[in-house]
Amino acid sequence: MTDFSDAFAAAIGLVLGLDTSLTEIVGLSLRVSLTAVAIAAFIGLPVGAAIALFRFPGRFFFVVATNALMGMPPVVVGLIVYLLLSRAGPFGVFGLLFTPTAMIVAQVLLVTPIIAALTRQVIEDLWIEYEEQMRSLGAGPGRAVPALLWDGRFTLITAILAGFGRASAEVGAVMIVGGNIDHVTRVMTTSIALEVSKGNLALALGLGMILLVLSASINAAAYLIQHNTKRWHA
Amino acid sequence: MTAPLDDTSILPLELTDVSFAAGGNRLIKDVTLRFEPGLKTVMIGPNGAGKSLFLRLCHGLLQPTQGSIRWQQETGADRHQAMVFQRPVMLRRSVAANIDYALKLRQISRRDRGDIIDRVLHQTGLRRLADQPARVLSIGEQQKLALARAWALEPQVLFLDEPTASLDPAAIHSVEEIIAAIHDAGTRIIMTTHDLGQARRIADEVLFINRGRILEAAPADRFFNAPENDLAQAFLRGELLW
């Protein structure tokens, strides 16, 4: 138990002292995950809405595929991206392996299906309520997409948060494609794994606390925005 | 006022042997009718008679499984119609923005949209609510907004599906006033109701529908004073129809 309390005290010291290696790691983590979630939302929201509204051959396959891909293991995604980006792979010429960009690519692949699948569900439900009115006004599914995404915004925030939760918490994909290189691709989750294996529990615990606090504050902020604006819009 | 897209009237609307079936049940049966311009037609009949289905067929939200529904002017006919539903569906944005969205879909220029929104909000008594989120309005105000939104499109034909079904008497009164004003501005009214008093107040022409069949189509005076169909007589006496 003393181990734990020592580690805890040391962790608080690191956090409060704004330890440089700590801030660097936290900064990179946020940069990678937020960028990945932004890109995934940019792709996943319209794709999810399109799957919800359009009837096309193979739609069933898309629905099942996005749902299935929601649960894709990060290490598998990491491995796929690793193969694609490695020197011998199709995108090897870009030299992206073991860079933050590679980590972003991997997280985009992880998060996009989550956002797309949840968006599909939200938009499908909205369309049930809106369809007749929208078609009466002259908006078929295609023209209705932006309005539906906007009207579903409060619920879609939750979809994006789910994506962010996935991106910020996963370790497998960023470990494989980033390589956990100090000052280059080391993020919170990979350094926690590393520091634990080195026995450096203080830093690991400090990082763990920050990860929890960051995740909690982003969720709290989103909830508050959602709560207040939702009340305003009934 | 904005200029209509063109001056040709899409009316009359002609239904020939129209039937609609779903799940093996014929819900609308062999309707042949002609809607001339200018009047207010009110369709009455018991719940489940097919009133809402009938309006949806006319408005093009559903396709008949048999027969044909033809506007005199087919091209662009959908741009000259609007529909107000029993439960208004408002987007999660302000009152004015809801009307703006409908106008934008009809490619009305931004400059004209402002004037139109102002006018219809004024005409429907909603101007003070222009910046309120539409979804927090009372159901009566939302229905007035639905009318304002439809009116903004300056339709030649306005379909209304039991527009006052869940409103209190004051709201019913103002909705009826707005419907009359829209009609006076030159829009053909085709609506359903199961409120006989409302039908008497509004109708120039009555369609009586039961079990998917139009049993009587007559001028309002004649229908209410001397209905020919025995089921229509029973309906007017307030009896249950089987």
Side-chain angles (χ1 to χ4, degrees):
Chain A
M1 219 36 223
T2 39
D3 274 359
F4 190 80
S5 50
D6 287 352
F8 198 75
I12 290 188
L14 283 172
V15 173
L16 295 181
L18 289 177
D19 183 80
T20 42
S21 63
L22 195 69
T23 48
E24 189 184 325
I25 290 169
V26 172
L28 183 64
S29 294
L30 283 178
R31 201 185 103 205
V32 168
S33 293
L34 289 176
T35 311
V37 169
I39 296 170
F42 190 73
I43 303 167
L45 290 174
V47 166
I51 298 175
L53 299 184
F54 291 103
R55 297 291 171 265
F56 51 90
R59 177 177 178 273
F60 173 78
F61 168 79
F62 273 93
V63 172
V64 174
T66 49
N67 285 344
L69 291 177
M70 280 174 86
M72 198 156 50
V75 282
V76 175
V77 174
L79 178 61
I80 292 167
V81 175
Y82 180 91
L83 292 173
L84 292 174
L85 297 183
S86 65
R87 277 281 165 227
F91 303 108
V93 284
F94 298 113
L96 289 176
L97 199 59
F98 306 131
T99 65
T101 308
M103 296 153 77
I104 292 171
V105 170
Q107 291 202 339
V108 167
L109 289 181
L110 267 177
V111 174
T112 304
I114 295 177
I115 296 182
L118 296 176
T119 301
R120 179 191 64 78
Q121 192 59 55
V122 171
I123 298 299
E124 243 174 38
D125 291 347
L126 263 186
W127 189 236
I128 292 172
E129 184 191 347
Y130 284 27
E131 179 178 2
E132 284 196 322
Q133 182 68 65
M134 294 300 255
R135 284 178 50 209
S136 170
L137 291 174
R143 298 192 66 180
V145 165
L148 288 166
L149 285 175
W150 181 244
D151 270 39
R153 59 194 179 276
F154 306 120
T155 326
L156 291 174
I157 287 176
T158 314
I160 293 171
L161 278 182
F164 178 75
R166 173 77 151 175
S168 61
E170 71 88 17
V171 56
V174 283
M175 183 73 96
I176 293 177
V177 302
N180 195 21
I181 303 166
D182 204 6
H183 303 303
V184 184
T185 58
R186 182 157 299 170
V187 292
M188 283 191 273
T189 52
T190 57
S191 44
I192 290 172
L194 177 69
E195 298 304 332
V196 169
S197 66
K198 283 185 352 195
N200 188 358
L201 296 184
L203 185 55
L205 198 57
L207 285 164
M209 280 161 40
I210 294 173
L211 194 53
L212 279 175
V213 169
L214 275 177
S215 170
S217 22
I218 287 179
N219 277 281
Y223 176 77
L224 287 176
I225 294 170
Q226 203 175 0
H227 183 70
N228 289 325
T229 45
K230 203 175 194 168
R231 201 177 41 190
W232 182 237
H233 280 276
Chain B
M1 300 290 259
T2 49
L5 290 172
D6 53 43
D7 292 332
T8 51
S9 172
I10 59 170
L11 287 161
L13 169 63
E14 266 197 271
L15 288 79
T16 315
D17 283 327
V18 170
S19 293
F20 179 81
N25 297 321
R26 287 216 306 157
L27 302 171
I28 296 288
K29 297 166 190 159
D30 310 318
V31 175
T32 296
L33 263 182
R34 190 177 155 96
F35 289 103
E36 300 290 346
L39 300 172
K40 284 175 291 191
T41 300
V42 175
M43 172 175 258
I44 57 174
N47 287 333
K51 301 190 292 290
S52 299
L53 268 181
F54 180 81
L55 283 195
R56 281 164 174 75
L57 284 164
C58 290
H59 189 35
L61 292 176
L62 294 171
Q63 295 305 314
T65 41
Q66 257 176 52
S68 72
I69 297 177
R70 286 232 154 73
W71 298 92
Q72 173 182 266
Q73 181 66 42
E74 282 284 334
T75 44
D78 46 351
R79 295 180 61 94
H80 293 293
Q81 321 167 32
M83 181 155 171
V84 170
F85 296 86
Q86 183 174 342
R87 276 198 55 238
V89 178
M90 290 300 148
L91 301 177
R92 289 191 173 85
R93 47 183 90 187
S94 74
V95 164
N98 262 281
I99 302 173
D100 190 62
Y101 180 75
L103 291 169
K104 224 186 302 182
L105 286 174
R106 303 267 162 125
Q107 278 134 20
I108 311 278
S109 75
R110 178 188 289 269
R111 206 185 37 208
D112 292 340
R113 293 206 300 265
D115 294 344
I116 297 172
I117 292 167
D118 252 13
R119 191 188 74 232
V120 293
L121 285 180
H122 179 69
Q123 285 165 323
T124 51
L126 293 172
R127 191 184 258 171
R128 73 197 157 81
L129 300 173
D131 298 322
Q132 293 285 313
R135 293 251 177 167
V136 302
L137 303 187
S138 72
I139 198 80
E141 288 165 338
Q142 287 196 35
Q143 195 58 293
K144 280 199 247 176
L145 174 54
L147 284 160
R149 180 168 62 186
W151 200 356
L153 304 175
E154 296 188 353
Q156 291 182 18
V157 182
L158 176 60
F159 296 100
L160 303 110
D161 186 14
E162 304 203 16
T164 58
S166 43
L167 306 187
D168 63 31
I172 290 176
H173 179 71
S174 49
V175 162
E176 287 180 5
E177 275 186 348
I178 294 169
I179 294 172
I182 294 176
H183 178 254
D184 290 344
T187 298
R188 173 71 156 96
I189 302 291
I190 301 175
M191 69 179 277
T192 65
T193 184
H194 52 227
D195 174 350
L196 283 175
Q198 180 169 67
R200 280 178 213 270
R201 289 192 294 275
I202 293 179
D204 299 319
E205 177 185 66
V206 175
L207 298 175
F208 176 69
I209 185 171
N210 189 40
R211 297 178 143 209
R213 225 178 263 288
I214 307 267
L215 297 181
E216 185 155 354
D221 285 352
R222 202 174 82 204
F223 181 84
F224 287 114
N225 293 321
E228 288 170 5
N229 184 276
D230 49 353
L231 285 172
Q233 292 165 7
F235 185 73
L236 287 178
R237 286 194 303 269
E239 291 169 18
L240 284 174
L241 302 187
W242 300 100

